[in-house]
Amino acid sequence: MKPKKPFRIGYGYDIHRLVEGRALILGGVNIPHAKGLDGHSDADCLTHALADAVLGALGLPDIGHFFPPTDDRFKGMDSQDILKKATEEASARGYEISNVDIGVIAEEPKIAKFIPQMKEILARSMNIAPEDVGIKATTHEKVGDLGRAVGIAASAVCLLAAK
Ligand code: MG
């Protein structure tokens, strides 16, 4: 399909609760920690926010529409497959991902040292270069639930360019 516009911008946000007995997967990286994010899939809120940004740029519904949490087929699924699906939706409409930028709010654990690995994994899922993936991590300065490490949140923007 020929794209109607040269560029499209998208935004996504997600939050998951930190609980015991789950692996902590963020940006596709398994991060050693006493708790992990709870959810139907691997609960990778960073990747979910990013996939929603891509789908949002296309004017499509969010990832819950494509991968309903009520559907057992998607239980424990690798969120990189969700991001790949969003990338395919963009490609099918004549767009490629130009660049993305992500902010993560995590009071714990410290994730900065895992960011290069996240960029590699996310870039591969979106068929772009790691330098086209921005990731920043911050704490919530002990403010509110996020500041008490009840969960981890992420927001993301992406720019799509006509191929
Ligand atoms: Mg989610």
Side-chain angles (χ1 to χ4, degrees), residues 2-157:
K2 193 179 183 319
K4 290 185 182 141
K5 296 183 175 171
F7 299 105
R8 299 182 71 102
I9 192 168
Y11 168 78
Y13 173 83
D14 196 25
I15 182 168
H16 282 257
R17 189 174 283 273
L18 270 174
V19 296
E20 284 171 11
R22 293 265 305 180
L24 175 58
I25 312 290
L26 268 183
V29 179
N30 194 331
I31 297 174
H33 191 49
K35 294 179 176 178
L37 295 173
D38 196 20
H40 188 67
S41 65
D42 64 10
D44 182 343
C45 65
L46 188 164
T47 302
H48 291 179
L50 183 52
D52 271 348
V54 175
L55 294 173
L58 297 166
L60 292 173
D62 67 20
I63 60 174
H65 169 85
F66 292 93
F67 304 97
T70 49
D71 190 329
D72 272 355
R73 281 179 301 162
F74 307 130
K75 194 165 167 50
M77 93 179 278
D78 181 346
S79 292
Q80 295 314 303
D81 290 338
I82 297 175
L83 183 56
K84 286 173 189 168
K85 168 71 174 168
T87 303
E88 285 167 17
E89 293 291 331
S91 184
R93 288 164 178 77
Y95 289 96
E96 62 190 0
I97 295 169
S98 176
N99 72 302
V100 302
D101 195 15
I102 302 151
V104 183
I105 300 174
E107 200 70 30
E108 65 177 45
K110 295 279 175 270
I111 64 169
K113 70 176 176 184
F114 299 101
I115 287 177
Q117 200 185 342
M118 291 179 188
K119 287 186 179 190
E120 291 280 344
I121 291 170
L122 297 170
R124 207 179 311 135
S125 294
M126 295 182 287
N127 303 317
I128 61 177
E131 56 262 35
D132 293 326
V133 181
I135 304 177
K136 291 90 53 199
T138 183
T139 70
H140 213 243
E141 294 292 337
K142 307 245 186 288
V143 175
D145 287 341
L146 282 174
R148 286 191 296 277
V150 172
I152 293 177
S155 57
V157 291

